[in-house]
Amino acid sequence: MTDQQVPETSEVENIISKTSKIITKLSEVDTRVSTTQSSINLDFPVESRPAYEIFNHLEHLILLSDSDDEDEIFMPSLDDVSHLAIVSQSVLSYIKNISPGTRLMKIANNIYKQVTYWISSLFLNNSLSTFLPTNADCLSKSLRLALTCKFENYIKDGLNNIKSCSIYVVSSNPYLPDLKFAVHLTGLPQSSIRTIPVVEGTETIDMNELEKLIAADKTSNSVPLYLFADLGSSFVGGINGSLKDLSEISEKHELWLHISGPMIAALSLSNAQSDITMNISSMTLDFESWIGLPTVPIVLLYRQYPALKQGIFEIESEMRKLDAFPLWTVIQNLGRDKIVDSFAQAFQSCNILYDMVAKTKGFRLLSKKPVNYDPKEALAIDSFTSVVLFQFDGSGLNIPTEDMKEPAVKKAIDKDNNVSYFDRLNSWLGQTLERDFPQIQLTLMDHSIYGTCIRYSPFELSTGEKVPTLDAFTEFYEFFENQADILCATVQKKQTFIDLIERSPVLKIVQLADDWAGLGGVYYVPEIMEKMETDQEKSELNKLNMQLVEKLRSSDNAFSLGESIDGLACIRFGMVTSETDIEELLDLVISAGNEIQESSKVLDSMAELIKAGIHAAQTDLQKEADEKVWNDGILRVVPVVGSVLNWINPLPRETSTGIRGRSLNLQQGVVESTENIYKYHMQLPLNPSQQGRSSTSHSRNESQSSTNSVKQAALAQQVAVQNTASPVEEAKPVA
């Protein structure tokens, strides 16, 4: 036997090693870098391919980015426990191929008994277990177990002699679709499902209405069979009732009570578990979500009723026993204390976050208030909470305090009349918290009644995620308070923002095309462009507002470029703090807009000045050219005769240099000769008498004393105009 076991052990170790390497390599793939998209090759491979090529191809498929994907794909990071769970699933596939017989059954029985005992000691003493892939499978088997216990001949005759039976569930139960599918798999009609009324404003079963419903079913010869209760899986983390009430009504009417939801984890923390679970028939345990373990099966725990000691369920259990292997490895790796501590930390984190939000001004809590967990006390599990759901609604911001002097303080806008705006504020907050504190695992949710909310559920963990530590919440609270102050200040100052814009002659409030959570958007509209009737006027307004945003962003990041529902560019105002002066902020916009307008006028006047200067220079040069021709003689400009004449009788040196050019001095507004530039090799300033004798003088527009940037742009456009009528030396441009 020893010789036969050695190769099997080494083979298993070899599989574990290879599988671990493959998983490690894939987990390290950085999918943020996408490759070029290629078409899928559907050709059936004719020849075999080596394993390394296949896994390289898999890596390529992971990296392959579809242009239609909205989000980037990130491979989950695996800790040691998650890595072990995935490897165990691969090893399980190998173990199942051991030749059937005594050895395989012995391995399966040992693993099954150990895991069942460990799990039942935490949640439901002296119970049996089945390991299934989906929640619907768990519900399907629990229904068949209930039918077996209720009807003696169910195993033999099936549903043939069963006329009608009733299954009770709340309509808000998130697993209702799974229950409907389970009913279909069992062979029962969908009419078997009865919807239970709840207490108004809660998810708690109305026990009086349930009593009436059961009585009506008994009158119509429908057998009450099954009560399905959820404990904390819903959107707000509500429960369908206390276990005491659910147990009492189940015992009274002999119902099979099945429970699911993360609040079951609180059973592992209670010192009075046997009293709490006395009448629970079965429960669903989802360790994949509760602890963040990939590939582990969902566990169905159920009581050992005498009617279940029949061969059909024992055979099914034999088939499912080996599926406990991934849990067998993970539970041993974690240990009981670490599992229980993880549950306790999850409940405690809900308490901490709930208290943080409760004492922060402007927020509303939509989930129930939890109790402070004390491991020394025996608490009912419905005293805990597994979800913290909250939203910013500005509550309490309009309540006057002693330091507020009415009517000097504007009232904050309310949520009732600005629902969509508050949804955008909550969306901004949720995205900010998700980005800066991913370890807290907050998610944005949209609800048909509450609107946009922020949800925290430490029992809905993804692969490799862990419950946040208490230190993480300490750091988070300071950041959360800062964001809350920004939200409160923005809501309180928004009405002031609107009122000031309505009184401004050049600012117009606009409706933004995107979901903007800041103060809002405005146009800067000069009074001469107020109507904006033509496309040309709209284009000019767009350019003006884009220039204005660019100028404003250089001094304050609170401004950004937006787009209105009309497709026009506008100025977006972001979130503000309590120290922000809205009037000063708007004055800054108006002042910057006026500067841009003045700068535009300066450029227009400069252009007119340059045109006039060029025209004057051309006139002067033409006049001098004509005078030079008459003075030197017409024969000197005749092409052939002039060359001979200039060679025989050259002109004196002082007159042969030709006509001097003209330069336009924008600083002094005059067109001046370049004679001094040639003589002194520099540009000399004109004195008042010289300015009076200049060939052409132009007064500067008073708006030329604007900003330095405009002056530099104008000076860069100085033009030295040369005479093109005769070949004379050009003057170098002078700055």
Side-chain angles (χ1 to χ4, degrees):
M1 291 292 291
T2 305
D3 295 338
Q4 295 176 353
Q5 291 176 358
V6 171
E8 290 181 359
T9 304
S10 62
E11 184 66 23
V12 171
E13 290 177 350
N14 188 29
I15 291 174
I16 292 174
S17 177
K18 290 182 178 179
T19 305
S20 180
K21 289 179 181 178
I22 293 171
I23 294 171
T24 301
K25 182 180 179 182
L26 292 177
S27 65
E28 292 175 351
V29 171
D30 187 0
T31 57
R32 289 171 293 181
V33 181
S34 59
T35 60
T36 55
Q37 187 175 1
S38 60
S39 59
I40 300 176
N41 183 11
L42 299 178
D43 295 336
F44 200 114
V46 179
E47 299 180 354
S48 63
R49 300 177 64 183
Y52 74 89
E53 286 189 7
I54 297 173
F55 283 104
N56 286 340
H57 181 60
L58 174 61
E59 183 177 335
H60 173 72
L61 291 177
I62 294 174
L63 289 170
L64 188 61
S65 176
D66 190 349
S67 59
D68 295 333
D69 290 343
E70 296 181 356
D71 302 323
E72 294 179 344
I73 302 173
F74 290 89
M75 293 292 289
S77 58
L78 300 178
D79 57 5
D80 293 339
V81 181
S82 301
H83 195 278
L84 177 62
I86 295 178
V87 172
S88 299
Q89 187 67 35
S90 302
V91 176
L92 173 62
S93 301
Y94 174 76
I95 295 176
K96 285 184 176 181
N97 287 283
I98 297 176
S99 56
T102 306
R103 180 181 298 179
L104 180 59
M105 290 299 99
K106 187 175 181 180
I107 294 172
N109 283 326
N110 287 338
I111 292 174
Y112 173 80
K113 287 180 180 179
Q114 286 183 314
V115 175
T116 300
Y117 177 77
W118 296 336
I119 295 177
S120 62
S121 66
L122 288 175
F123 304 102
L124 191 64
N125 284 324
N126 301 320
S127 59
L128 298 175
S129 62
T130 301
F131 306 92
L132 299 162
T134 65
N135 185 67
D137 291 326
C138 290
L139 291 173
S140 176
K141 178 164 184 179
S142 66
L143 277 173
R144 286 184 282 117
L145 293 172
L147 289 168
T148 302
C149 293
K150 195 72 171 180
F151 303 100
E152 295 181 358
N153 297 324
Y154 173 70
I155 299 270
K156 180 180 178 181
D157 301 331
L159 299 175
N160 292 331
N161 296 324
I162 301 175
K163 293 182 180 180
S164 178
C165 57
S166 299
I167 301 167
Y168 303 99
V169 64
V170 171
S171 60
S172 60
N173 191 314
Y175 298 113
L176 181 57
D178 290 338
L179 179 62
K180 291 181 178 180
F181 184 62
V183 167
H184 171 72
L185 293 177
T186 309
L188 293 170
Q190 293 294 312
S191 58
S192 301
I193 299 177
R194 303 285 195 271
T195 301
I196 313 172
V198 296
V199 178
E200 185 178 358
T202 69
E203 297 179 8
T204 304
I205 294 173
D206 190 327
M207 294 301 171
N208 294 328
E209 293 297 326
L210 178 57
E211 289 277 7
K212 295 178 182 179
L213 199 58
I214 293 174
D217 286 336
K218 289 181 178 179
T219 303
S220 60
N221 295 323
S222 179
V223 180
L225 172 68
Y226 190 92
L227 174 59
F228 179 28
D230 173 63
L231 302 177
S233 300
S234 65
F235 183 80
V236 298
I239 60 174
N240 293 154
S242 67
L243 282 182
K244 179 182 178 182
D245 294 338
L246 295 172
S247 296
E248 288 177 355
I249 198 167
S250 298
E251 182 181 17
K252 179 180 178 181
H253 298 285
E254 298 181 348
L255 295 171
W256 181 282
L257 175 59
H258 179 82
I259 61 173
S260 65
M263 298 295 292
I264 297 174
L267 290 172
S268 64
L269 311 178
S270 176
N271 294 328
Q273 183 196 112
S274 58
D275 297 334
I276 299 174
T277 61
M278 184 178 299
N279 293 310
I280 296 176
S281 301
S282 61
M283 61 179 64
T284 301
L285 310 176
D286 188 0
F287 289 102
E288 183 171 0
S289 294
W290 296 358
I291 309 181
L293 299 175
T295 73
V296 297
I298 296 177
V299 182
L300 174 67
L301 277 184
Y302 58 94
R303 289 200 175 276
Q304 301 186 53
Y305 293 108
L308 302 179
K309 295 180 180 180
Q310 301 186 42
I312 183 171
F313 291 106
E314 293 179 1
I315 293 174
E316 184 184 30
S317 297
E318 293 293 337
M319 297 172 60
R320 296 288 185 183
K321 284 179 179 179
L322 271 178
D323 291 337
F325 177 72
L327 273 175
W328 183 72
T329 60
V330 169
I331 290 176
Q332 292 182 87
N333 185 259
L334 289 172
R336 178 191 175 94
D337 290 345
K338 198 168 184 178
I339 294 174
V340 174
D341 289 345
S342 175
F343 294 154
Q345 186 177 338
F347 287 120
Q348 190 174 4
S349 67
C350 288
N351 292 5
I352 293 172
L353 182 60
Y354 190 98
D355 292 339
M356 285 182 181
V357 178
K359 61 185 179 182
T360 304
K361 192 174 183 180
F363 282 85
R364 174 191 181 192
L365 281 156
L366 304 171
S367 52
K368 70 171 186 175
K369 183 178 181 179
V371 299
N372 293 322
Y373 165 65
D374 186 352
K376 297 180 181 180
E377 297 181 2
L379 298 174
I381 67 171
D382 50 285
S383 300
F384 293 87
T385 187
S386 60
V387 171
V388 179
L389 186 70
F390 61 95
Q391 66 178 187
F392 177 78
D393 66 345
S395 55
L397 297 183
N398 284 326
I399 300 176
T401 58
E402 295 179 358
D403 58 339
M404 294 175 65
K405 298 178 181 179
E406 293 287 351
V409 178
K410 289 279 186 182
K411 284 191 174 183
I413 62 173
D414 62 313
K415 183 182 177 182
D416 294 338
N417 299 319
N418 301 274
V419 175
S420 60
Y421 179 67
F422 275 86
D423 283 344
R424 293 196 295 271
L425 290 175
N426 281 284
S427 179
W428 172 85
L429 176 62
Q431 293 174 18
T432 303
L433 297 178
E434 284 180 343
R435 180 195 64 208
D436 293 343
F437 281 87
Q439 66 271 28
I440 303 298
Q441 299 146 12
L442 297 170
T443 55
L444 269 173
M445 307 289 289
D446 289 324
H447 192 268
S448 57
I449 298 176
Y450 304 121
T452 302
C453 308
I454 301 172
R455 188 171 185 264
Y456 172 70
S457 179
F459 290 95
E460 297 177 10
L461 302 175
S462 301
T463 299
E465 288 184 345
K466 297 301 175 188
V467 179
T469 62
L470 301 183
D471 292 338
F473 277 102
T474 302
E475 184 181 355
F476 169 78
Y477 183 49
E478 182 179 354
F479 181 81
F480 179 73
E481 277 191 319
N482 292 334
Q483 306 311 306
D485 290 342
I486 292 174
L487 287 171
C488 292
T490 302
V491 170
Q492 288 175 321
K493 294 177 181 293
K494 186 172 177 65
Q495 189 60 51
T496 302
F497 174 78
I498 295 173
D499 293 343
L500 289 173
I501 291 175
E502 289 178 349
R503 294 200 297 265
S504 173
V506 293
L507 296 180
K508 307 296 179 184
I509 196 162
V510 298
Q511 185 176 353
L512 294 170
D514 56 356
D515 295 333
W516 186 247
L519 285 175
V522 299
Y523 293 137
Y524 177 83
V525 185
E527 297 181 19
I528 59 174
M529 300 175 62
E530 186 175 359
K531 293 184 178 180
M532 293 187 297
E533 296 178 348
T534 64
D535 292 339
Q536 178 66 25
E537 290 176 338
K538 292 181 180 180
S539 177
E540 291 297 327
L541 181 64
N542 266 347
K543 292 178 182 178
L544 177 60
N545 279 275
M546 286 189 286
Q547 291 176 5
L548 183 54
V549 170
E550 185 176 354
K551 182 178 181 62
L552 291 170
R553 282 187 62 84
S554 62
S555 60
D556 196 330
N557 288 330
F559 305 100
S560 60
L561 182 64
E563 183 180 349
S564 68
I565 57 175
D566 299 329
L568 297 178
C570 63
I571 308 161
R572 290 191 307 192
F573 288 73
M575 312 294 286
V576 296
T577 63
S578 56
E579 292 80 14
T580 304
D581 189 332
I582 301 299
E583 188 171 1
E584 182 180 341
L585 208 61
L586 293 176
D587 287 343
L588 179 62
V589 175
I590 296 173
S591 175
N594 291 335
E595 287 183 9
I596 292 177
Q597 280 188 277
E598 291 298 324
S599 300
S600 177
K601 293 177 181 178
V602 169
L603 291 177
D604 291 342
S605 62
M606 283 292 180
E608 294 298 327
L609 178 63
I610 291 171
K611 289 180 181 178
I614 292 173
H615 178 72
Q618 288 176 339
T619 303
D620 290 347
L621 290 172
Q622 184 62 43
K623 182 178 179 181
E624 285 191 12
D626 294 342
E627 291 177 354
K628 181 176 177 59
V629 169
W630 288 108
N631 291 334
D632 296 343
I634 298 177
L635 292 178
R636 291 186 181 276
V637 299
V638 178
V640 178
V641 177
S643 299
V644 176
L645 184 60
N646 287 330
W647 177 68
I648 296 173
N649 185 20
L651 290 171
R653 181 173 180 82
E654 59 272 11
T655 60
S656 62
T657 54
I659 302 171
R660 299 304 182 189
R662 297 292 189 274
S663 65
L664 177 58
N665 190 329
L666 294 179
Q667 287 182 323
Q668 298 177 344
V670 296
V671 176
E672 53 190 24
S673 173
T674 59
E675 183 174 357
N676 287 334
I677 298 176
Y678 286 98
K679 184 176 182 180
Y680 301 106
H681 300 287
M682 61 184 297
Q683 186 171 4
L684 300 177
L686 294 177
N687 56 40
S689 60
Q690 289 174 317
Q691 292 185 32
R693 294 192 302 269
S694 61
S695 58
T696 305
S697 178
H698 301 274
S699 63
R700 296 180 63 199
N701 189 295
E702 59 181 4
S703 64
Q704 290 177 352
S705 60
S706 182
T707 61
N708 292 333
S709 60
V710 175
K711 184 183 294 182
Q712 291 172 0
L715 291 176
Q717 300 181 40
Q718 283 190 355
V719 180
V721 183
Q722 302 299 320
N723 182 19
T724 57
S726 59
V728 295
E729 184 180 0
E730 295 182 353
K732 296 181 180 179
V734 179

